[in-house]
Amino acid sequence: MRTSSIRAIRRVELSRAAFEAVIRYGLRKTTLEKVGDIAGVSKGVVLHHFKDKSALLEAVFRRSNTLLSGSVVELYRYAETPYERLWAIIVANFFETIFNRQVCQAWVSLISEVPHNTECQRVQIANNERIRSNLMHELKHFLPEQEAEQVARHLGVHIDGIWVRAGLLPHPVETNMAISEMQFAIEKMLPFDEISAAKHKEARKKIEAVADIALGSKAFKEKFLQI
Amino acid sequence: MRTSSIRAIRRVELSRAAFEAVIRYGLRKTTLEKVGDIAGVSKGVVLHHFKDKSALLEAVFRRSNTLLSGSVVELYRYAETPYERLWAIIVANFFETIFNRQVCQAWVSLISEVPHNTECQRVQIANNERIRSNLMHELKHFLPEQEAEQVARHLGVHIDGIWVRAGLLPHPVETNMAISEMQFAIEKMLPFDEISAAKHKEARKKIEAVADIALGSKAFKEKFLQI
DNA sequence: ACAAATTATTGTCTAATGGTAAGTTTTATG
DNA sequence: CATAAAACTTACCATTAGACAATAATTTGT
């Protein structure tokens, strides 16, 4: 059916517009009319496709999380060892396309919706759990189960922390800076000898190179910016 | 003059009411009228004392940060060694009075104001910088300058991360859990032998005991809940 | 190809909200 | 007590979220 496809397209257009509105005006000053203006339609259309403002924000929230998890999945495809997969998770979470001042600011604005919106809560928890489980899967190769769990939780929380900081600080946080802070934690928390240090270094380098091609490609960006 | 003191009292009452409103309804559903209701005054009074809604939220933001830094300062008074001062910073940031689901949720809601409100930004940055500098001061006793800086930044960011998680998760995050997660990071990032391990353990224990008395006291709570 | 049904879109209406401005009461001070 | 300043109230306006009905476009069944 094309009807449902049109509906799907409109919903995507509108949540993109809402995302843009949150970036431009902040959550509190984002109105349905401004969202409509950005999307080039009237306010009524927005409410035709989304039950209410909360439902729209839910969609925006889900959209930005899909962006993130999509990047991880994409980079994962090129990672061949536990070292590389670990770095794929880190690098994907801080790649410029999604980790930049605007997106982080929007994310910081949007999470304020979580405490009083169970659907956003669900999305957020699923997202945390996914990253934790991804990390856990790789860390088991380097650490005993119990310690791997602690490190996985630590790294997951720390990713959130860096994102919040990036959204709150007035100056942009460099991708390289963020990844290096994660590396600092990994070096302290994983067993490090000359061999593993070299493997980590190599893995980070390879994954960063792959990311520029895989996540930076026009094809991937378009796939993402449209869906 | 008593006039200005009345004004000061009202501003405190109103920002407390606004804080309560954010906890109850979430930032987006917090209206000036609801704030007035909680404070037992009409909406006009709120706007008489605060230029507009942004100014009110700024005050709420500043108030919650004062709560936090006040706890650190208070606990610091009882800490006598670098170990104890380090743990005072950690424990103060996660003491039940300020680290609980409601307050964390309110904090998560309020930080969405930061990106588009320079005054909130100023407060937030000052707060981050204060904690970083506090940590740095103690960590210099355990690590060389450069590494101490990295660890200080890491711990500071991680505190934010735990706060965000506590605000986003549907179940409460235990004080003990949060502090133990910080301890995990400290154990990994500071030099640990039998002697220092014992000193850390002792310091944490002492400071936690002191916190129950110093921060849990009725006098301190009243001083805080009123000012 | 065409009528019926479904879907997209717009415009209108209401209640609630942020904010203003004018007016009233209370308080401080000479 | 008089007067000025501050605290507070009320009435009001523009904007907003959201409901709803009317209209245009599009798909589907025949």
Side-chain angles (χ1 to χ4, degrees), chain B residues 60-114:
Chain B
V60 177
F61 198 70
R62 202 176 295 113
R63 190 184 133 71
S64 64
N65 278 96
T66 306
L67 235 85
L68 208 61
S69 64
S71 299
V72 175
V73 170
E74 181 71 13
L75 256 193
Y76 239 76
R77 290 176 44 204
Y78 300 89
E80 292 166 325
T81 67
Y83 289 96
E84 290 176 4
R85 278 191 290 273
L86 174 60
W87 282 101
I89 301 168
I90 309 290
V91 170
N93 270 282
F94 296 109
F95 193 72
E96 287 93 350
T97 315
I98 39 173
F99 181 76
N100 58 63
R101 227 171 98 69
Q102 292 191 328
V103 175
C104 290
Q105 285 192 352
W107 183 72
V108 164
S109 295
L110 285 168
I111 57 171
S112 75
E113 191 69 12
V114 175

Side-chain angles (χ1 to χ4, degrees), chain A residues 58 61-62 65 114 117-129, chain B residues 168 170:
Chain A
E58 272 170 37
F61 198 69
R62 202 175 295 114
N65 277 98
V114 174
N117 184 327
T118 53
E119 183 57 20
C120 284
Q121 223 169 76
R122 221 184 48 77
V123 172
Q124 178 61 28
I125 289 167
N127 193 47
N128 287 347
E129 181 50 33
Chain B
L168 298 183

Side-chain angles (χ1 to χ4, degrees), chain B residues 81 83 87 142 190-204:
Chain B
T81 67
Y83 289 96
W87 282 101
F142 307 106
L190 267 58
F192 253 67
D193 49 37
E194 287 96 33
I195 298 172
S196 63
K199 286 194 178 179
H200 275 290
K201 195 178 171 187
E202 198 183 339
R204 177 179 170 179

Side-chain angles (χ1 to χ4, degrees), chain A residues 22-29 53-54 57 105 107-109 111-116 121 124-125 128 147 150-151 153-154 156-158 160-162 164-165 167-170 177 181 184-185 188-189, chain B residues 22-29 53-54 57 105 107-109 111-116 121 124-125 128 147 150-151 153-154 156-158 160-162 164-165 167-170 177 181 184-185 188-189:
Chain A
V22 171
I23 288 174
R24 277 195 215 166
Y25 310 113
L27 183 59
R28 252 183 64 228
K29 303 274 170 88
K53 200 179 178 180
S54 291
L57 293 175
Q105 285 192 352
W107 183 74
V108 165
S109 295
I111 56 170
S112 75
E113 193 69 10
V114 174
H116 291 266
Q121 223 169 76
Q124 178 61 28
I125 289 167
N128 287 347
E147 202 162 354
Q150 285 183 288
V151 174
R153 180 170 20 245
H154 183 91
V157 171
H158 204 74
D160 280 9
I162 293 178
V164 174
R165 282 286 167 98
L168 297 182
L169 291 175
M177 194 68 185
E181 280 185 30
F184 178 74
K188 295 290 179 183
M189 296 189 172
Chain B
V22 171
I23 288 174
R24 277 194 214 166
Y25 310 112
L27 184 60
R28 251 184 63 225
K29 303 272 168 89
K53 198 178 180 180
S54 291
L57 293 176
Q105 285 192 352
W107 183 72
V108 164
S109 295
I111 57 171
S112 75
E113 191 69 12
V114 175
H116 290 266
Q121 222 168 79
Q124 178 62 27
I125 289 166
N128 288 346
E147 202 162 351
Q150 285 183 289
V151 174
R153 183 171 16 248
H154 183 91
V157 171
H158 204 74
D160 280 10
I162 294 179
V164 174
R165 283 287 168 100
L168 298 183
L169 291 175
M177 194 68 185
E181 279 184 31
F184 178 75
K188 295 290 179 186
M189 296 188 172

Side-chain angles (χ1 to χ4, degrees), chain A residues 14 17 21 24-25 31-43 46:
Chain A
L14 290 171
R24 277 195 215 166
Y25 310 113
T31 69
L32 296 176
E33 204 168 3
K34 282 175 188 160
V35 173
D37 284 349
I38 292 174
V41 295
S42 78
K43 175 185 75 169
V46 181

